[in-house]
Amino acid sequence: MQWNQNYAALQGSLLLTALVVAIPIFFLFWALAVKRMKGHVAGLLTLLLTIIISVLVYRMPLSAALSASALGMVTGLFPIGWIILTAVFLFNLTVESGQFEIIKGSISSLSPDRRIQALLIAFSFSAFMEGVAGQGAPVAVAAAMLIGLGFPPLPAAVICLVANTPPVPFGPVGVPTMMMSTVTGIPATTMARAIGIDMAFMALIIPFFMVVVMVGFKRALEVIPAALVAGISYGATSLVISTYFGPELPAITASVVSLLCLVIFIRFWQPKTTWTFEEDKAANPATGVRHTAGQIFKAWSPFLILMIVMGLWGTPFFKNYAEKTHHWFLAVPHWPWLDGVVFKAAPIVAKPAVYGASYKWQWLTAPGTAMFLSSLISMVVLGISPATGAKVFAKTFMQLRFALITLASVIGLGFLANYSGMSFTLGLAMAVLTGMAFPIFSPIIGLVGVFLTGSVTSSAALFGKLQQVTAGHLGFNPVLTTSANLFGGVMGKLISPQSIAVACAAVGLVGRETDIFRKTLKYSLILLGIVIVVVLLQAFVIPWILPTAPAVS
């Protein structure tokens, strides 16, 4: 069986076809933003609607549509879902063992100044949590820690939402960047280098911007040395790791370096005046419990183990040993009912060309496997029994089961959009409608995707191929637009209903989501404006700063 994609399937009109096949995107927006459906329900219904439209509009064989959806869902779960599951498992082990309380105490006891505490927890430590767990944990944990120190609930939530931006494309363990690589075929190392440049720049801005949000510009200037230390140490480390080692470790390594540099710095420097909230005058603010160096080292040991194991996992020697020498991977070279069935057509290619379909999970060298091994070693170090570890793993799976369904359905949708031709139709239509102004819209599309789904990973799955195709037909470097999707998407985290719901739950403001949204909306738009300026510079002034990749793969 051979089926050729037709990007103008309705009456030969590209724009009419694009309008109709965009219905699933509009439905997803309505389901999440208006109807407020649960993510997994909205994801599955949107996938079902996309299958129907693919068959009715494009005349795609039903077997191929179902097979493409299944390939996407399997790819979403392994390796992406496996990473998320094991990352949260490692974090939950530290909570179960009681060591996470020591981690919190070791940070919170370093300075009485609320601005310094916010830099330590909302920026540096939140970035660490994003690197190892993601899934709302950074905002939830950091906001709860600030509340425990005596921060008022509303400022705590807003501060954490604003601060949790630079590490997002690299957390957990590089998943959003790897997802963009998966749906576009652009190497993950190339994507990491590109978005690493963007995030290093934002790391210089966000610490000071966060303090301005908290106390105003004048009071923020008093701690600008500490903000610069936190931001520069994070940005420089993240840039180096993303450039030379890929997407898995930038957030984890850079956040640890940022924490250490800031801790050392404030031992020798403190602001001239100690800033506190009005509420602090009526009570003695908590400064945390003192712990010994040994206790602190043990509490942090799971994450030190993680960095060591991930470092070993990323070496060429280990990858070659596992994959080329022993072939320790799971592969389906010809995905049934899809491989050899779908053919790309003009103008995407000069003449019809097969759109291959295969699956390969390098399970031993997968980041999730490294995370799982780190968790097992950490159980020994922390004295957690196998029975308790098994209970924590089961609890983690139950905690994430709906998130994994959402992930699988959205990535299944992304794969179906690619194989049906929907992504190509929308990309070609965007090229016609926006022309050379597309770099302005590229990060906005990423932001809208995150607003809809609550996830930079899901936004990449939905719009990554569209960004790549549009860039190719306008003559832009596709790395520019795909990285801009991630870059703009990060700013959508500030206003995503899911992110705000997590923040409200963490600080006890359930029911006041609108209050937080009104505050974060202006900050999101300010940061989006900065993102657009950076993307325009990369498009027209300094295009050499980004690596390159083929337009369509």
Side-chain angles (χ1 to χ4, degrees):
M1 184 192 303
Q2 177 179 331
W3 174 77
N4 292 335
Q5 293 180 338
N6 181 2
Y7 313 119
L10 291 178
Q11 301 179 8
S13 171
L14 175 66
L15 295 182
L16 177 61
T17 307
L19 184 62
V20 173
V21 300
I23 288 175
I25 296 175
F26 295 130
F27 173 80
L28 186 62
F29 179 89
W30 173 82
L32 292 173
V34 179
K35 194 65 174 176
R36 296 188 179 276
M37 287 185 190
K38 294 186 181 298
H40 64 285
V41 175
L44 290 172
L45 288 177
T46 305
L47 176 58
L48 177 61
L49 179 60
T50 308
I51 292 172
I52 294 171
I53 287 178
S54 297
V55 173
L56 295 181
V57 174
Y58 289 117
R59 305 299 180 187
M60 185 180 191
L62 178 60
S63 59
L66 294 173
S67 182
S69 303
L71 176 58
M73 296 180 82
V74 171
T75 303
L77 293 174
F78 305 98
I80 306 299
W82 176 235
I83 296 172
I84 295 170
L85 180 64
T86 52
V88 178
F89 175 49
L90 178 65
F91 169 67
N92 285 346
L93 286 174
T94 65
V95 175
E96 179 71 22
S97 65
Q99 299 300 315
F100 192 68
E101 292 301 314
I102 298 177
I103 291 176
K104 291 196 296 185
S106 68
I107 295 173
S108 62
S109 63
L110 294 169
S111 174
D113 191 287
R114 297 306 200 180
R115 297 164 296 183
I116 301 298
Q117 291 176 356
L119 286 169
L120 286 164
I121 295 171
F123 178 73
S124 297
F125 184 69
S126 174
F128 179 78
M129 289 303 306
E130 184 69 45
V132 300
Q135 292 295 297
V139 171
V141 172
M145 288 173 68
L146 292 180
I147 291 291
L149 289 173
F151 277 59
L154 190 60
V158 173
I159 291 165
C160 290
L161 286 166
V162 171
N164 185 45
T165 44
V168 169
F170 299 121
V173 204
V175 165
T177 301
M178 286 189 283
M179 176 51 63
M180 184 62 79
S181 171
T182 299
V183 298
T184 61
I186 298 173
T189 51
T190 302
M191 286 306 312
R193 287 200 297 273
I195 193 61
I197 293 169
D198 297 332
M199 290 300 102
F201 170 72
M202 291 307 297
L204 303 180
I205 297 174
I206 289 299
F208 181 71
F209 186 79
M210 177 201 73
V211 181
V212 171
V213 168
M214 178 179 172
V215 300
F217 186 80
K218 183 177 179 180
R219 288 291 191 180
L221 285 175
E222 297 174 354
V223 293
I224 197 169
L228 288 173
V229 168
I232 292 173
S233 59
Y234 181 95
T237 306
S238 176
L239 183 61
V240 170
I241 299 298
S242 62
T243 300
Y244 295 105
F245 298 96
E248 292 91 350
L249 286 176
I252 298 173
T253 307
S255 58
V256 170
V257 171
S258 178
L259 262 176
L260 292 175
C261 289
L262 190 53
V263 167
I264 294 170
F265 179 73
I266 62 177
R267 288 190 177 277
F268 298 95
W269 178 91
Q270 288 284 339
K272 291 181 179 179
T273 58
T274 299
W275 190 90
T276 58
F277 292 102
E278 288 294 326
E279 295 87 342
D280 292 334
K281 296 176 181 178
N284 293 321
T287 56
V289 179
R290 297 286 180 177
H291 300 284
T292 66
Q295 289 175 316
I296 294 172
F297 180 81
K298 181 180 179 181
W300 282 92
S301 62
F303 305 110
L304 299 176
I305 292 167
L306 171 63
M307 284 189 285
I308 294 171
V309 173
M310 289 293 295
L312 293 174
W313 244 241
T315 59
F317 170 79
F318 179 73
K319 288 183 178 292
N320 290 335
Y321 176 79
E323 295 168 16
K324 295 181 180 179
T325 306
H326 291 277
H327 303 287
W328 285 336
F329 53 80
L330 175 64
V332 182
H334 304 286
W335 191 259
W337 302 296
L338 188 62
D339 188 50
V341 173
V342 177
F343 281 71
K344 297 178 184 177
I348 299 300
V349 289
K351 58 182 180 179
V354 67
Y355 195 165
S358 61
Y359 174 75
K360 184 178 181 180
W361 182 33
Q362 298 164 329
W363 58 269
L364 183 61
T365 59
T369 304
M371 296 282 295
F372 187 65
L373 178 61
S374 301
S375 300
L376 296 180
I377 297 173
S378 299
M379 286 172 55
V380 176
V381 173
L382 300 179
I384 298 175
S385 69
T388 301
K391 290 179 181 178
V392 173
F393 188 84
K395 176 185 175 184
T396 303
F397 177 79
M398 293 301 294
Q399 173 189 347
L400 295 175
R401 65 191 187 281
F402 293 128
L404 293 173
I405 294 172
T406 303
L407 178 71
S409 61
V410 171
I411 298 171
L413 167 62
F415 270 59
L416 177 57
N418 293 344
Y419 279 97
S420 67
M422 184 184 298
S423 295
F424 299 105
T425 295
L426 294 173
L428 293 169
M430 287 294 295
V432 171
L433 293 172
T434 64
M436 298 304 287
F438 185 68
I440 295 174
F441 294 93
S442 192
I444 296 174
I445 291 170
L447 181 144
V448 170
V450 174
F451 177 79
L452 290 175
T453 66
S455 165
V456 178
T457 302
S458 298
S459 178
L462 282 174
F463 298 125
K465 182 61 75 173
L466 180 152
Q467 298 275 12
Q468 185 186 28
V469 172
T470 308
H473 283 266
L474 292 172
F476 290 113
N477 176 7
V479 176
L480 167 74
T481 55
T482 51
S483 63
N485 195 96
L486 295 170
F487 197 8
V490 168
M491 307 315 154
K493 293 285 284 185
L494 277 71
I495 55 173
S496 163
Q498 288 89 328
S499 297
I500 292 175
V502 168
C504 286
V507 300
L509 291 179
V510 174
R512 294 186 59 187
E513 288 82 1
T514 303
D515 295 339
I516 293 181
F517 177 79
R518 287 174 178 170
K519 288 184 175 293
T520 56
L521 177 60
K522 61 181 177 182
Y523 304 133
S524 177
L525 294 177
I526 291 170
L527 293 172
L528 178 63
I530 295 172
V531 169
I532 291 173
V533 170
V534 172
V535 172
L536 288 173
L537 288 173
Q538 292 173 340
F540 300 109
V541 181
I542 50 171
W544 48 264
I545 199 170
L546 296 178
T548 58
V552 177
S553 60

